Amino acid sequence: MPYMEVARGVKLYYEDWGAGPVVIFVHGWTMSHKFWSYQTLNLPPGMRTIAYDLRGHGMSDKPFSSYSYQEYAYDLLHLILGLNLRNVTLVGWSMGAPICLEYLRLFGPERIAGFVSVGGAIPKYVKSPDWPYGLPPNTIQTWFDDLHRRRPEWQEELFNRIFVNPIVGSATKRWIWTIGMQASFPAAVGSLIALRNTDFRAFIPYIRIPFALFQGAKDDITLPEATQWIHAHNPRSKLIMFEESGHTPCIEEIDKFNAELTKFVFSLTT
């Protein structure tokens, strides 16, 4: 099994398929590379797909560390350098999207051709007087309380909530829950702290590469209004709505998602 050492004593598990334009999939909170199975299996063979597990998640090492977006971004940098990748398209779902944003903020567009946010490039997650497109602070606090007191039950409730398309059945929801419970408790807590504290609003206008915003129209985890705000504040962005999806268009509308992703990736090579 392939592993990449990204820091002393920290190895990330990854899967590397195909040849062609490189796409790196960055999963969300408590997920793993398995979340992207419907993409790595179904995308055209003329594309190289790399899906990896964030530290603390899946089959990667689970150190006791900060689990900040900065730490995740440095891990991603070491993965890209270690595999000597260039002209990469980053695809981040949910928390994976702000990890990609942090990467771009810290290291710029070198080696990166484009970026796709999947229900996740929200500039600021918590609602405030100057930001109406987030979740209320008491909602986030309840998430912390439930994570500390009844993690299995709460994650089941959360993962049931992210799907709205009736095509997604109970077996898929159970599969996602099983993946989610593999993440370490420090990773789950640290990532949630990063989600609560980060504000990318000032950075959004300075993204200098083409990027696409894949947004579920019925998403109540990452509000469509937040994604529309990004689109209005950076002319390089392309907004693609998934009308039958909640937070997971890559599972709820697989065919449309894969077609739009393929179109975007190959548009970067022309």
Side-chain angles (χ1 to χ4, degrees):
M1 293 185 292
Y3 283 87
M4 175 72 67
E5 186 170 22
V6 294
R8 181 174 295 179
V10 180
K11 293 181 180 179
L12 303 186
Y13 175 81
Y14 69 97
E15 294 188 352
D16 189 345
W17 300 84
V22 180
V23 180
I24 296 182
F25 291 100
V26 187
H27 64 74
W29 185 77
T30 71
M31 288 291 98
S32 77
H33 69 282
K34 294 179 180 179
F35 177 83
W36 299 108
S37 296
Y38 295 117
Q39 281 66 60
T40 55
L41 288 172
N42 296 329
L43 288 173
M47 194 180 297
R48 181 180 177 185
T49 62
I50 299 171
Y52 73 103
D53 295 344
L54 299 171
R55 66 165 65 202
H57 296 68
M59 298 169 64
S60 290
D61 287 342
K62 298 176 172 63
F64 192 84
S65 59
S66 70
Y67 294 101
S68 64
Y69 288 159
Q70 183 180 73
E71 189 172 59
Y72 287 132
Y74 270 94
D75 287 349
L76 178 56
L77 173 67
H78 286 294
L79 182 69
I80 290 172
L81 294 178
L83 294 174
N84 193 26
L85 303 175
R86 297 183 184 277
N87 299 318
V88 173
T89 301
L90 296 175
V91 181
W93 172 71
S94 196
M95 186 186 77
I99 291 172
C100 295
L101 285 177
E102 181 70 351
Y103 178 97
L104 293 170
R105 189 184 69 83
L106 290 173
F107 310 119
E110 185 179 359
R111 295 178 180 261
I112 308 300
F115 162 53
V116 178
S117 162
V118 185
I122 186 167
K124 183 174 183 289
Y125 211 80
V126 182
K127 187 176 183 179
S128 62
D130 64 342
W131 180 249
Y133 309 129
L135 297 184
N138 62 331
T139 297
I140 307 300
Q141 185 57 52
T142 298
W143 286 5
F144 275 104
D145 294 342
D146 285 342
L147 179 60
H148 281 86
R149 295 172 184 168
R150 52 187 211 70
R151 178 183 176 183
E153 291 81 8
W154 173 63
Q155 286 195 212
E156 181 178 41
E157 295 164 4
L158 180 66
F159 292 144
N160 285 342
R161 176 181 169 185
I162 66 177
F163 301 105
V164 300
N165 193 325
I167 197 173
V168 178
S170 59
T172 294
K173 295 173 183 177
R174 186 165 60 250
W175 170 59
I176 293 297
W177 177 87
T178 301
I179 295 173
M181 291 305 298
Q182 295 174 0
S184 72
F185 193 80
V189 173
S191 300
L192 205 55
I193 291 171
L195 185 107
R196 179 192 65 189
N197 293 344
T198 304
D199 186 345
F200 283 108
R201 285 178 293 176
F203 176 63
I204 294 300
Y206 296 97
I207 300 174
R208 295 177 291 163
I209 56 174
F211 66 104
L213 303 162
F214 287 13
Q215 176 65 45
K218 302 175 183 178
D219 191 349
D220 68 352
I221 301 293
T222 298
L223 302 182
E225 293 85 354
T227 302
Q228 290 162 351
W229 183 95
I230 296 173
H231 183 52
H233 284 78
N234 191 312
R236 292 182 178 272
S237 67
K238 178 181 181 181
L239 176 60
I240 300 172
M241 297 295 293
F242 291 79
E243 300 299 332
E244 304 302 319
S245 293
H247 196 50
T248 57
C250 50
I251 295 176
E252 296 176 87
E253 296 183 67
I254 297 169
D255 291 341
K256 178 180 177 180
F257 182 93
N258 289 351
E260 292 290 354
L261 178 58
T262 300
K263 187 190 309 181
F264 179 77
V265 171
F266 283 103
S267 74
L268 302 175
T269 64
T270 58

